[in-house]
C-alpha cells in the first residue's frame, strides 16, 4: 500500500480545502475522504478503536471546516475557539482532521502509534498544534472545557469551547459534576456534543447504564439541548457556529450516530472497537466511501 507520508493515500483525495469553510457538498466529501483515510491508517499502524473514530468524523469535520473558529495559523491565539476530544480513544480521527486542515505535515503521521513517535493512541498535550489537552481517561474532557470557558469569562475573552464525549463516557460521574456546574454558571460559550452511537467497549451503552432519556438528563442540569443526526455535518456545523450569550445556557448536542459509520461491514458492529482491518478490507472500505 502507498505510504501515508505520500501526497495521495491509496487513492484517497487530498483535502477539499485547508481553508476554514467548505460548501455543503465539499463538507460531505471531506468526511468520506477522512473515513477512508482512517481505515487505511488503522490497518497500517495496527491501531484499534476504528469504529469509535468513524462515528465521530462528521462532528469533527463540522467543527474544523466552519463550525468553530479554528485556524492552523492561529493555533495559539487567545481568541480562538477550543475543541476537546474527550473520547480520546478516537484520537486517530482528530489527528487526521488536524493534518488535513494544515496544522502539521503529513509526514508526522509516520510517528503514529510507534515507539518514540509523537502521536500516541490517545492525545497528549501539545503533541501537535491544535491538540488542546490530554484526553482518553474518560470523563475528564468536559471538566477541562468547563475550566476553559470559565477562564475566558474571567479574562473577558470571547471564544466558544466544544467538547466531544462518547455516550459510554457519560457513565462517569465527573461528566455530570461538570454539567451541573456549567448549568449553574450559565456558560453559554460551552457546547458538549455526545457521540451517541449506543455502544461502549463491552456492550450496548443503554443496557450497561440507564442512558435514556439522555437529552432530558442534560436539560435537567440546566442546558439547552438539541438532538440531531450525527452524520449530517451541515446541520452540526450550523449548531456549532451559533453565537453565545454571555449569560445564556450551555448547549448539549445529542448526535445520534452509528459506530463504524460509512463502511457496510463495520456499521453497528462492536467488534470494530478493537479489530484491525485487513488490506482487502481497507480496499473494500475505500471503494464504498469514495465511489458510493
Amino acid at each position: 500500500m502507498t505510504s501515508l507520508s505520500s501526497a495521495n493515500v491509496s487513492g484517497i483525495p487530498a483535502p477539499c480545502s485547508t481553508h476554514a469553510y467548505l460548501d455543503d457538498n465539499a463538507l460531505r466529501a471531506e468526511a468520506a475522504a477522512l473515513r477512508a483515510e482512517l481505515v487505511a491508517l488503522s490497518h497500517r499502524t495496527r491501531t484499534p478503536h476504528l469504529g469509535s473514530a468513524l462515528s465521530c468524523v462528521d462532528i469533527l469535520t463540522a467543527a474544523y471546516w466552519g463550525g468553530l473558529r479554528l485556524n492552523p495559523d492561529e493555533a495559539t491565539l487567545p481568541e480562538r475557539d477550543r475543541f476537546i476530544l474527550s473520547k480520546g480513544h478516537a484520537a486517530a480521527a482528530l489527528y487526521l482532521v488536524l493534518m488535513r486542515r494544515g496544522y502539521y505535515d503529513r509526514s508526522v503521521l509516520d510517528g503514529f502509534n510507534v515507539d518514540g513517535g509523537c502521536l500516541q493512541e490517545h492525545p497528549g498535550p501539545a503533541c501537535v498544534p491544535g491538540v488542546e489537552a490530554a484526553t482518553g481517561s474518560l470523563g475528564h474532557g468536559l471538566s477541562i472545557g468547563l475550566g476553559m470557558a470559565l477562564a475566558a469569562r474571567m479574562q473577558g475573552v470571547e471564544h466558544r469551547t466544544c467538547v466531544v464525549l462518547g455516550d459510554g463516557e457519560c457513565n462517569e460521574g465527573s461528566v455530570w459534576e461538570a454539567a451541573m456546574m456549567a448549568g449553574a454558571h450559565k456558560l453559554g460559550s460551552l457546547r458538549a456534543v455526545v457521540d451517541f452511537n449506543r455502544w461502549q467497549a463491552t456492550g450496548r451503552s443503554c443496557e450497561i447504564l440507564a442512558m435514556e432519556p439522555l437529552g432530558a438528563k442534560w436539560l435537567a442540569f440546566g442546558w439547552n439541548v438539541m438532538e440531531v443526526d450525527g452524520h449530517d455535518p451541515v446541520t452540526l456545523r450550523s449548531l456549532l457556529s451559533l453565537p453565545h450569550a454571555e449569560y445564556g445556557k450551555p448547549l448539549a448536542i445529542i448526535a445520534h450516530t452509528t459506530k463504524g459509520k460509512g463502511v457496510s461491514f463495520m456499521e453497528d458492529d462492536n467488534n470494530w472497537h478493537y479489530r484491525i482491518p485487513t488490506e482487502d478490507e481497507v480496499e473494500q472500505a475505500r471503494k464504498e466511501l469514495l465511489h458510493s
Side-chain angles (χ1 to χ4, degrees):
M1 296 182 63
T2 308
S3 169
L4 279 170
S5 61
S6 65
N8 186 281
V9 184
S10 299
I12 297 166
C16 297
S17 172
T18 58
H19 297 298
Y21 195 87
L22 297 175
D23 66 38
D24 293 355
N25 289 334
L27 190 69
R28 296 184 184 99
E30 180 60 31
L34 271 163
R35 286 191 165 92
E37 192 155 2
L38 267 170
V39 177
L41 183 65
S42 175
H43 167 74
R44 175 180 173 271
T45 60
R46 314 301 298 166
T47 306
H49 300 129
L50 179 55
S52 302
L54 289 168
S55 70
C56 67
V57 162
D58 298 292
I59 300 167
L60 272 67
T61 305
Y64 279 88
W65 274 276
L68 300 176
R69 295 173 299 181
L70 297 167
N71 190 316
D73 296 327
E74 300 173 344
T76 60
L77 190 74
E79 293 80 15
R80 74 189 184 280
D81 288 343
R82 299 333 193 244
F83 181 91
I84 298 170
L85 183 67
S86 191
K87 49 172 285 181
H89 52 289
L94 177 60
Y95 294 152
L96 283 174
V97 165
L98 291 171
M99 182 275 295
R100 292 176 68 89
R101 273 286 278 117
Y103 278 80
Y104 66 90
D105 188 78
R106 179 179 286 278
S107 62
V108 177
L109 281 172
D110 290 336
F112 178 44
N113 199 26
V114 299
D115 289 344
C118 66
L119 300 177
Q120 303 304 314
E121 284 191 39
H122 291 70
C127 58
V128 288
V131 175
E132 297 282 359
T135 56
S137 181
L138 295 177
H140 292 179
L142 189 59
S143 295
I144 295 170
L146 167 71
M148 290 178 174
L150 280 171
R153 175 181 288 178
M154 293 174 184
Q155 295 165 1
V157 177
E158 287 198 12
H159 67 69
R160 289 164 295 185
T161 302
C162 175
V163 181
V164 175
L165 306 100
D167 52 344
E169 183 177 7
C170 293
N171 292 357
E172 302 286 350
S174 54
V175 169
W176 301 104
E177 292 179 57
M180 188 162 41
M181 187 170 183
H185 287 268
K186 301 186 185 303
L187 285 174
S189 64
L190 182 62
R191 289 109 210 271
V193 185
V194 181
D195 179 7
F196 196 7
N197 63 34
R198 290 175 170 75
W199 282 107
Q200 56 194 86
T202 58
R204 290 285 186 186
S205 53
C206 291
E207 295 173 358
I208 291 171
L209 283 185
M211 196 69 62
E212 296 275 29
L214 186 57
K217 289 179 172 63
W218 289 91
L219 195 67
F221 278 70
W223 292 58
N224 287 322
V225 177
M226 296 291 294
E227 301 211 18
V228 300
D229 176 358
H231 299 306
D232 179 358
V234 176
T235 296
L236 288 164
R237 179 168 63 184
S238 296
L239 289 175
L240 291 176
S241 63
L242 289 172
H244 71 272
E246 177 61 17
Y247 292 99
K249 293 181 179 181
L251 173 63
I253 300 171
I254 312 301
H256 294 272
T257 61
T258 300
K259 198 161 187 173
K261 176 65 177 180
V263 183
S264 61
F265 55 90
M266 296 182 185
E267 287 192 354
D268 205 37
D269 182 351
N270 206 38
N271 287 314
W272 291 99
H273 195 81
Y274 296 116
R275 258 204 68 187
I276 308 297
T278 66
E279 187 168 352
D280 287 344
E281 288 169 333
V282 171
E283 179 60 16
Q284 183 179 344
R286 186 188 67 81
K287 289 178 179 178
E288 288 188 13
L289 288 161
L290 302 181
H291 300 288
S292 58

